[in-house]
């Protein structure tokens, strides 16, 4: 499980950097796969040789001002921790995957390539990172984080899925994943092809859960009942669904004999207060995996 510094895609490079105070910066990275520059909010570790946590946000992709950076204490929480935290901005309603076709509404979507092949090499080179990586997602990106951990082989040693709904290539899973694309003005057929076909099955995290073996896995969700950790506008129905989906995926891992930490909170209604608490609880597990 030893890490190795990633080699950057020859065309992927730092296109600019803007200080954001302290050890934080906006690092802009050119993505050859998407043919454009992607913003990334980054909290740098205090020195070279640190591992990296890739932290994905919800359906709006952070470009809407709703994100870990904007709505939680990530800068304070990670200030004394020896880790680089990278929070890409963008990817709204894309599921952070590679779409098989350019879409009239979404454009060219190659987030899987960016997050697994382009960005890690650039970050490792720019920050002198260790090559040991974890990935975490919340809400829409919780299932995406699991999918990315599956698709990218050894790239991520640990994954956290917070308040999301891991999908299967069954009618319910197809409907949920398609709804995200449609909300963004995209055609789900341009994402993974014909619904239920090979492209969808390749990204079915239930069917491919065995490929998570050997990784540290943290799953969390709540009941939807508002509680003391909530902060912001509660969305109980979404969290109730997330709780059921997350429990089902934890059960799938159990069937396969794959260890996972599963936190099912008695209260919590899909708010940033809940997500912040879940990230705090997930961090020791992720940290142990990436050193």
């Amino acid at each position: 499980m030893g890490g190795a510094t990633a080699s950057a895609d020859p065309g992927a490079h730092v296109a600019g950097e803007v200080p954001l105070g302290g050890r934080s910066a906006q690092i802009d990275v050119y993505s050859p796969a998407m043919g454009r520059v992607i913003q990334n909010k980054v909290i740098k570790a205090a020195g070279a040789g640190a591992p990296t946590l890739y932290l994905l946000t919800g359906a709006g992709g952070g470009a809407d001002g709703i994100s870990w950076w904007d709505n939680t204490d990530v800068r304070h929480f990670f200030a004394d921790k020896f880790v680089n935290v990278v929070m890409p901005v963008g990817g709204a309603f894309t599921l952070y995957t590679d779409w098989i076709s350019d879409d009239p509404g979404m454009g060219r979507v190659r987030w899987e390539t960016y997050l697994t092949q382009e960005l890690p090499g650039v970050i490792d080179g720019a920050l002198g990172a260790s090559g040991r990586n974890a990935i975490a997602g919340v809400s829409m990106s919780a299932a995406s984080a699991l999918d990315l951990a599956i698709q990218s082989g050894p790239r991520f040693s640990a994954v956290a899925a917070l308040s999301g709904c891991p999908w299967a290539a069954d009618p319910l899973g197809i409907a949920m994943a398609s709804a995200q694309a449609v909300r963004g003005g995209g055609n789900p057929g341009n994402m993974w092809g014909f619904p239920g076909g090979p492209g969808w099955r390749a990204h079915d995290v239930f069917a491919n859960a065995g490929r998570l073996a050997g990784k540290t896995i943290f799953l969390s969700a709540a009941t939807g009942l508002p509680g003391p950790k909530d902060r912001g506008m509660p969305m109980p129905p979404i969290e109730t669904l997330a709780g059921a989906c997350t429990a089902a995926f934890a059960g799938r891992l159990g069937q396969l004999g794959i260890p996972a930490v599963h936190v099912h909170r008695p209260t919590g209604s899909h708010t940033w207060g809940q997500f912040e608490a879940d990230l705090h609880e997930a961090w020791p597990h992720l940290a142990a995996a990436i050193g």
Side-chain angles (χ1 to χ4, degrees):
M1 295 296 289
T5 301
S7 297
D9 182 292
H13 61 271
V14 174
E17 181 169 341
V18 179
L20 297 176
R23 293 201 305 273
S24 298
Q26 176 181 302
I27 299 179
D28 298 334
V29 174
Y30 176 72
S31 165
M34 288 190 276
R36 59 190 176 91
V37 172
I38 307 295
Q39 294 180 3
N40 304 273
K41 300 290 178 62
V42 178
I43 304 168
K44 301 178 184 179
T52 304
L53 169 63
Y54 291 88
L55 197 52
L56 307 180
T57 193
D64 55 0
I66 302 172
S67 68
W68 293 107
W69 178 268
D70 297 294
N71 298 96
T72 72
D73 67 348
V74 289
R75 279 167 279 183
H76 174 74
F77 181 71
F78 287 107
D80 62 348
K81 295 170 178 61
F82 190 60
V83 64
N84 303 298
V85 182
V86 179
M87 295 164 276
V89 179
F93 307 111
T94 64
L95 275 67
Y96 290 108
T97 189
D98 281 0
W99 289 36
I100 63 172
S101 301
D102 292 352
D103 185 86
M106 306 289 271
R108 177 159 296 174
V109 181
R110 301 289 188 276
W111 278 95
E112 179 185 317
T113 297
Y114 177 70
L115 291 167
T116 66
Q117 299 178 32
E118 296 176 342
L119 182 60
V122 173
I123 290 296
D124 287 356
L127 303 184
S130 70
R132 296 279 292 174
N133 305 306
I135 189 166
V138 66
S139 194
M140 178 195 79
S141 67
S144 301
L146 292 167
D147 185 41
L148 291 164
I150 289 169
Q151 302 297 332
S152 61
R155 172 69 74 203
F156 302 108
S157 301
V159 57
L162 315 177
S163 290
C165 202
W167 57 71
D170 60 13
L172 179 59
I174 291 168
M176 289 189 298
S178 296
Q180 299 291 345
V182 170
R183 283 181 66 193
N187 179 349
N190 288 328
M191 183 166 62
W192 292 325
F194 183 79
W200 288 77
R201 293 195 297 273
H203 293 276
D204 181 329
V205 298
F206 280 79
N208 295 291
R211 291 160 62 185
L212 291 171
K215 300 180 187 291
T216 292
I217 306 166
F218 182 93
L219 309 171
S220 67
T223 61
L225 182 68
K229 290 183 173 61
D230 285 319
R231 185 175 69 248
M233 183 178 295
M235 293 184 280
I238 294 178
E239 191 60 30
T240 300
L241 178 61
C245 292
T246 301
F249 189 68
R252 170 62 174 158
L253 293 174
Q255 291 172 351
L256 296 172
I258 297 175
V261 177
H262 175 213
V263 177
H264 184 70
R265 298 191 183 279
T267 61
S269 57
H270 215 74
T271 66
W272 283 103
Q274 177 198 331
F275 305 155
E276 180 182 278
D278 285 346
L279 180 61
H280 289 192
E281 190 162 347
W283 171 244
H285 302 279
L286 304 179
I290 60 177

